């Protein structure tokens, strides 16, 4: 009888332990934190690959209307199209077309790899005329203007901040 009584005590303790573990983790196994982290990590890894590949082209000349797939010169949208294609993401050819794919992202929620869109003096205020890749920490990877080419710029500079229009997430 004493042996039987000693065996019964552990059942409520195990049940309470399991309940406490579930309560503290906030996770019933429907969406594991690890699965969410893996999804975020894959997007971050793809964004890092896009950025690191793009930086290898730093200094490559800018040519307005550069052909898709050409790597001796880019315009802004052929550059983004080329880099994203290397990661299996198909983008349309022009910055205006690219501004319509993916999902909207507010400026305050930008993440590495997001496409950032601007108006230019050529297109006029309110009309997309330029695309860049957000690198994080307020930096843009893009190409523009003859003599500048592929470069890194500060999103918060007077020019880029005043010409900012929107951003899209495609990763």
């Amino acid at each position: 009888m004493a042996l039987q009584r000693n065996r019964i005590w552990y059942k409520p303790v195990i049940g309470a332990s399991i309940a406490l573990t579930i309560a503290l983790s906030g996770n019933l196994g429907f969406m594991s934190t690890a699965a969410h982290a893996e999804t975020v990590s894959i997007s971050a890894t793809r964004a890092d690959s896009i950025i690191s590949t793009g930086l290898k082209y730093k200094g490559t000349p800018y040519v307005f209307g550069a052909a898709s797939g050409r790597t001796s010169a880019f315009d802004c949208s052929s550059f983004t199209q080329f880099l994203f294609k290397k990661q299996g993401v198909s983008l349309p050819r022009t910055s205006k077309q690219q501004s319509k794919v993916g999902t909207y992202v507010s400026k305050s929620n930008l993440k590495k790899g997001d496409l950032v869109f601007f108006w230019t003096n050529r297109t006029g205020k309110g009309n997309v005329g330029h695309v860049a890749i957000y690198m994080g920490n307020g930096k843009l990877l893009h190409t523009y203007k003859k003599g500048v080419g592929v470069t890194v710029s500060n999103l918060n500079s007077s020019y880029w901040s005043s010409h900012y229009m929107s951003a899209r997430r495609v990763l």
Side-chain angles (χ1 to χ4, degrees), residues 53-128:
T53 301
L55 288 171
K56 292 176 186 173
Y57 290 92
K58 200 168 177 188
T60 300
Y62 171 85
V63 172
F64 181 77
S68 294
R70 178 180 174 188
T71 58
S72 59
F74 297 102
D75 70 6
C76 65
S77 55
S78 72
F79 185 58
T80 55
Q81 185 184 48
F82 171 75
L83 293 174
F84 279 78
K85 185 176 183 180
K86 288 186 137 322
Q87 288 298 312
V89 178
S90 179
L91 293 176
R93 175 60 187 87
T94 68
S95 57
K96 185 174 182 174
Q97 292 167 334
Q98 289 178 11
S99 73
K100 296 174 183 173
V101 299
T103 56
Y104 169 82
V105 179
S106 67
K107 192 174 185 182
S108 62
N109 286 315
L110 287 171
K111 291 184 181 176
K112 283 183 183 181
D114 287 342
L115 295 174
V116 186
F117 300 93
F118 304 86
W119 64 273
T120 65
N121 294 334
R122 182 181 52 79
T123 59
K125 194 170 189 171
N127 297 304
V128 172

